[in-house]
């Protein structure tokens, strides 16, 4: 019986698809990370925008890796921590979904603020996500609701690397696309649709976390 409980659970393609879909929805929201990538691309060019995105993605994937490595042990020692984190994560997801939906029609701030140097661009992006406590809450809540418990170390490493790859690819494509006038104008024109779709997905995830046992 104990061996069956302790047995690791495998991550399948459905888990990865669900995680990536949620991650893409979160990345599409007009938060500090997206605004920084947008401003850097518009004011300093696509290379600086890509460097900023690499920094943002590295920090975000790092939070995911730390959450995967540490949550299981914390929950084993302090069962109440699971309930607290679950409640906090659900409330946060519902909150950002509401905020996203409410602000979907607002335009992005495109004030000219340059970020000189690729190294500085990278570490500026890294600092924005590594210093944002909401990144911890988001990573932990999403991992809790999507992935099974008792995963193997290999599965956890794969999830973290998958997160890193998605962030890097998306921010690189984002910087390249928005460095052209027509693509940038198209994104800004369709921003309300993107934001509301992301809000629906994140809100549904938060409600599932609230009502799940």
């Amino acid at each position: 019986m104990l061996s069956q409980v302790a047995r690791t659970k495998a991550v399948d393609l459905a888990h990865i698809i669900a995680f990536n879909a949620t991650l893409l929805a979160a990345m599409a929201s007009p938060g500090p990370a997206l605004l920084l990538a947008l401003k850097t691309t518009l004011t300093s060019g696509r290379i600086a925008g890509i460097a900023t995105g690499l920094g943002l993605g590295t920090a975000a994937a790092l939070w995911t890796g730390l959450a995967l490595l540490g949550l299981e042990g914390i929950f084993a020692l302090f069962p109440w921590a699971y309930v607290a984190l679950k409640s906090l994560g659900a409330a946060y997801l519902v909150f950002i979904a509401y905020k996203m939906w409410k602000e979907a029609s607002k335009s992005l701030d495109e004030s000219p603020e340059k970020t000189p140097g690729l190294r500085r661009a990278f570490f500026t992006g890294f600092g924005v996500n590594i210093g944002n406590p909401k990144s911890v809450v988001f990573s932990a809540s999403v991992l809790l609701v999507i992935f099974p418990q008792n995963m193997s170390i290999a599965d956890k490493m794969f999830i973290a690397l998958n997160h890193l790859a998605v962030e890097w690819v998306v921010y690189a494509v984002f910087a390249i696309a928005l460095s052209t006038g027509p693509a940038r104008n198209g994104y800004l024109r369709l921003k309300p649709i993107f934001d509301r779709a992301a809000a629906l997905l994140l809100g549904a995830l938060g409600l599932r976390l609230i009502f799940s046992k």
Side-chain angles (χ1 to χ4, degrees), residues 149-201:
Q149 296 182 6
N150 301 323
M151 292 182 293
S152 67
I153 294 297
D155 281 339
K156 292 177 180 180
M157 290 180 61
F158 177 78
I159 293 169
L161 291 175
N162 168 81
H163 186 166
L164 182 65
V166 170
E167 294 258 354
W168 281 6
V169 169
V170 168
Y171 278 121
V173 172
F174 181 79
I176 294 171
L178 290 185
S179 63
T180 65
R184 183 194 64 182
N185 294 335
Y187 171 81
L188 295 176
R189 185 172 61 252
L190 296 176
K191 175 182 173 292
I193 298 175
F194 291 144
D195 288 356
R196 291 192 172 105
L200 289 175
L201 180 57

Side-chain angles (χ1 to χ4, degrees), residues 36 51-52 54-60 62 121-131:
L36 177 64
T52 301
L54 294 180
L56 290 166
T58 300
L62 179 61
F122 175 89
F123 283 106
T124 298
F126 185 86
V128 165
N129 269 353
I130 206 69

Side-chain angles (χ1 to χ4, degrees), residues 61-196:
L62 179 61
W63 280 128
T64 292
L66 292 175
L68 285 166
L69 293 176
L71 283 178
E72 190 173 6
I74 293 175
F75 293 152
L77 293 174
F78 308 103
W80 56 266
Y82 178 86
V83 178
L85 184 57
K86 176 182 175 181
S87 302
L88 182 62
Y92 172 64
L93 289 174
V94 172
F95 169 75
I96 60 174
Y98 167 77
K99 187 176 180 180
M100 238 188 287
W101 184 277
K102 182 179 179 181
E103 299 180 356
S105 60
K106 293 184 178 179
S107 61
L108 294 174
D109 179 18
E110 297 182 23
S111 59
E113 179 181 342
K114 294 192 176 183
T115 307
L118 298 183
R119 179 177 297 181
R120 183 176 177 182
F122 175 89
F123 283 106
T124 298
F126 185 86
V128 165
N129 269 353
I130 206 69
N132 184 4
K134 293 181 179 180
S135 298
V136 185
V137 179
F138 179 82
S139 296
S141 58
V142 169
L143 294 170
L144 280 174
V145 72
I146 291 179
F147 292 105
Q149 296 182 6
N150 301 323
M151 292 182 293
S152 67
I153 294 297
D155 281 339
K156 292 177 180 180
M157 290 180 61
F158 177 78
I159 293 169
L161 291 175
N162 168 81
H163 186 166
L164 182 65
V166 170
E167 294 258 354
W168 281 6
V169 169
V170 168
Y171 278 121
V173 172
F174 181 79
I176 294 171
L178 290 185
S179 63
T180 65
R184 183 194 64 182
N185 294 335
Y187 171 81
L188 295 176
R189 185 172 61 252
L190 296 176
K191 175 182 173 292
I193 298 175
F194 291 144
D195 288 356
R196 291 192 172 105

